[in-house]
Amino acid sequence: MPKPERTTAPLDMANPCLEGKKRRCGRPTPHDTEQLDQYLLEIAAGLFVQHGYAGTSVDQIARKASASKQTLYRRYPSKEELFKAVITNLTASVLRTIEETPLHNPLQELRYVMSLLLDLILQPESLGTYRILISDAYRYPSLIAHATNTIGTPIHNCVVRLLKAAEAAGQIEPGNADDTTANLLCGLITGQPLEDALFGLKPLECCVERLEYFERGWALFLRAVGGKQETCPIAATPPAAFPYKKTAAS
């Protein structure tokens, strides 16, 4: 008598075997839960970038992750909340770095923050999310509100904070520590590379080229605000949190 065909049920991702490690049944450890959360967000991010917000369903994400929809809905009550979590997760490390930036040398620290921002906006996941917000946000206004509140506003406030500290320390001329200067600085450093990347070009792929572009932009900013060029150069390698493809020239 032939054996009945074995069916494979969706993996219960509430109790996953992550990294090939088996463990006893029971409640997942905090480490397992953190791993699972990150795994689900990475799967969701990839599908959102590939298919757009409207073209991605919770069913697709669950199938791709070999998880049940209940596993996703326990964490994220709706697709909208899941996408918001993807946005937050995408920028978590750079925002944490920005928020923890000390004020020992405000101008040098501002320089470092701006270099992180340039790296961040050129990441494929960042560009994909940006395209989704451009194309779909008018239909889902809460998405752009979330992106503004969790990414745009914290970054802007940090830049203003560092400008004010630099002004107080005499590193830039008075009258330049305001919202307008912060907006102009961000546009100067990230505007053209972001526009090129959104049009499908691949700007500043070589780390040396990216560094040279950043240095020229930073020098222009310093001349505009009467600042002094810092003596500590930014390393010619990207931060570990934001790896990007190096060309043969790098």
Side-chain angles (χ1 to χ4, degrees):
M1 180 177 179
K3 294 182 180 179
E5 185 177 337
R6 185 177 179 181
T7 59
T8 303
L11 177 64
D12 180 7
M13 294 302 287
N15 293 281
C17 263
L18 298 172
E19 296 182 347
K21 298 177 181 178
K22 294 184 178 180
R23 61 180 183 81
R24 294 174 299 176
C25 295
R27 293 180 62 84
T29 66
H31 176 68
D32 288 339
T33 300
E34 183 178 351
Q35 268 194 296
L36 172 56
D37 290 342
Q38 185 63 33
Y39 172 75
L40 293 174
L41 290 174
E42 287 174 359
I43 292 294
L47 289 174
F48 280 130
V49 168
Q50 183 178 359
H51 302 293
Y53 181 79
T56 302
S57 68
V58 174
D59 280 340
Q60 284 176 291
I61 296 169
R63 285 196 301 269
K64 182 73 172 179
S66 298
S68 66
K69 287 197 295 183
Q70 288 77 10
T71 296
L72 286 168
Y73 282 126
R74 276 197 296 268
R75 289 164 169 78
Y76 315 105
S78 65
K79 184 176 78 169
E80 181 176 316
E81 292 303 315
L82 176 55
F83 185 71
K84 289 178 180 178
V86 166
I87 293 174
T88 301
N89 184 65
L90 179 65
T91 58
S93 60
V94 71
L95 288 176
R96 186 163 51 249
T97 299
I98 286 174
E99 290 169 358
E100 295 171 356
T101 301
L103 296 175
H104 303 310
N105 186 332
L107 198 57
Q108 185 173 329
E109 283 141 17
L110 176 60
R111 185 166 178 254
Y112 177 63
V113 166
M114 296 310 302
S115 73
L116 285 181
L117 186 57
L118 178 59
D119 287 328
L120 174 65
I121 59 102
L122 292 178
Q123 294 308 298
E125 297 83 358
S126 299
L127 292 168
T129 303
Y130 206 104
R131 290 188 181 103
I132 291 172
L133 291 172
I134 292 172
S135 64
D136 291 339
Y138 75 97
R139 288 182 288 181
Y140 309 98
S142 65
L143 297 182
I144 195 66
H146 179 79
T148 299
N149 292 335
T150 60
I151 303 173
T153 298
I155 290 175
H156 179 81
N157 289 345
C158 175
V159 173
V160 173
R161 176 174 68 95
L162 291 171
L163 284 170
K164 289 181 177 179
E167 182 183 66
Q171 293 179 315
I172 62 175
E173 293 178 353
N176 290 301
D178 55 19
D179 292 332
T180 299
T181 302
N183 290 332
L184 290 171
L185 173 58
C186 290
L188 175 64
I189 297 297
T190 68
Q192 191 61 51
L194 177 58
E195 181 180 313
D196 288 347
L198 289 173
F199 280 126
L201 304 177
K202 296 182 179 180
L204 310 180
E205 280 196 299
C206 168
C207 59
V208 174
E209 182 187 6
R210 189 178 299 196
L211 176 61
E212 290 174 350
Y213 177 89
F214 177 84
E215 293 288 4
R216 288 192 64 180
W218 183 253
L220 285 171
F221 163 72
L222 289 179
R223 285 199 291 272
V225 298
K228 297 181 180 179
Q229 182 69 47
E230 295 297 321
T231 56
C232 292
I234 300 237
T237 54
F242 305 107
Y244 55 83
K245 180 182 176 182
K246 297 180 182 180
T247 66
S250 61

